[in-house]
Amino acid sequence: MTHDLDHTLDAVGPRLKRLRLRRDITLADLAEQTGISASTLSRLESGLRRPTLEQLLPLARVHGVTLDELVDAPPTGDPRINLRPVTCADGSTILPLTRRPGGIQAYKFILPRAKGEQEPELRTHEGYDWVYVLNGTLRLVLGERDLILKPGEAAEFDTRTPHWFGATGAGPVEYLSLIGKQGQRAHVRVAPKLDV
């Protein structure tokens, strides 16, 4: 049990550093956001100091992850509730939000800031996609169109249309994606107007 705890705590430092670098912020910026000194943050990231709960709570909040994700706690209970993020080779993170088979699947994507001009690699597949930007600026290349979507903006399209998603040089981007089989579309409903 003590060995498992030691291993878990030793792995927190590199995870903290990856999260900070993915958000493209400095130790000074993180210190200002968390109230933890930059030197303490540096020692935590390098593994020279073990984190306390008082340090982990603001770090998890600022990075937008749960404590379980921050310390890579083993899954417990219903696996549909304990959804784990997938980190890709390009630095992007995909967080599945649904696990039921069939139907529309929901994901949260976090793409790192673009470094230089990115050459889009357009892809196609069966289905229908609806995207909604939470934070940052999303570049969506859709067929011949090159679109820029800002927080609160959405797009929907048939995924047989060649498409590509990317961040801009302005910073990382977070967006939600609802993907369904061909013919399944996300329907946005509004309350009917009341006659006054």
Side-chain angles (χ1 to χ4, degrees):
M1 181 80 153
T2 303
H3 174 68
D4 290 344
L5 180 61
D6 289 342
H7 178 71
T8 298
L9 290 175
D10 289 343
V12 172
R15 194 170 297 111
L16 286 171
K17 186 169 188 173
R18 278 194 306 275
L19 286 167
R20 181 177 60 80
L21 294 176
R22 185 176 306 138
R23 293 184 57 227
D24 198 27
I25 61 173
T26 65
L27 284 170
D29 293 335
L30 187 58
E32 186 176 312
Q33 294 175 26
T34 61
I36 302 169
S37 73
S39 62
T40 298
L41 291 169
S42 177
R43 287 193 303 274
L44 289 172
E45 286 185 2
S46 64
L48 297 174
R49 181 172 179 172
R50 285 208 170 153
T52 65
L53 183 58
E54 289 78 17
Q55 293 164 333
L56 289 174
L57 287 170
L59 286 165
R61 181 183 47 77
V62 166
H63 288 309
V65 298
T66 65
L67 280 175
D68 283 353
E69 291 168 325
L70 196 57
V71 298
D72 197 27
T76 59
D78 189 338
R80 292 171 297 173
I81 296 169
N82 198 346
L83 301 173
R84 296 288 186 167
V86 176
T87 303
C88 303
D90 64 359
S92 62
T93 301
I94 304 168
L95 178 63
L97 302 175
T98 54
R99 283 256 173 100
R100 71 181 163 83
I104 294 177
Q105 300 295 307
Y107 300 91
K108 179 180 177 182
F109 287 83
I110 304 168
L111 307 180
R113 179 173 61 98
K115 302 205 185 310
E117 187 63 32
Q118 289 182 287
E119 185 62 36
E121 294 180 30
L122 281 74
R123 301 186 188 279
T124 62
H125 53 89
E126 284 292 316
Y128 206 84
D129 199 350
W130 180 87
V131 297
Y132 178 84
V133 180
L134 298 168
N135 293 302
T137 303
L138 178 67
R139 181 178 174 207
L140 168 60
V141 177
L142 188 56
E144 299 293 318
R145 300 179 72 189
D146 198 334
L147 308 167
I148 297 294
L149 302 175
K150 298 194 182 279
E153 294 184 323
E156 63 177 311
F157 57 93
D158 184 320
T159 56
R160 292 178 296 186
T161 304
H163 59 281
W164 175 86
F165 300 99
T168 66
V173 63
E174 297 179 45
Y175 66 96
L176 297 176
S177 175
L178 300 177
I179 302 171
K181 294 182 203 164
Q182 197 58 41
Q184 286 184 312
R185 297 175 65 171
H187 298 283
V188 178
R189 302 194 194 295
V190 295
K193 290 184 180 178
L194 299 174
D195 291 330
V196 181

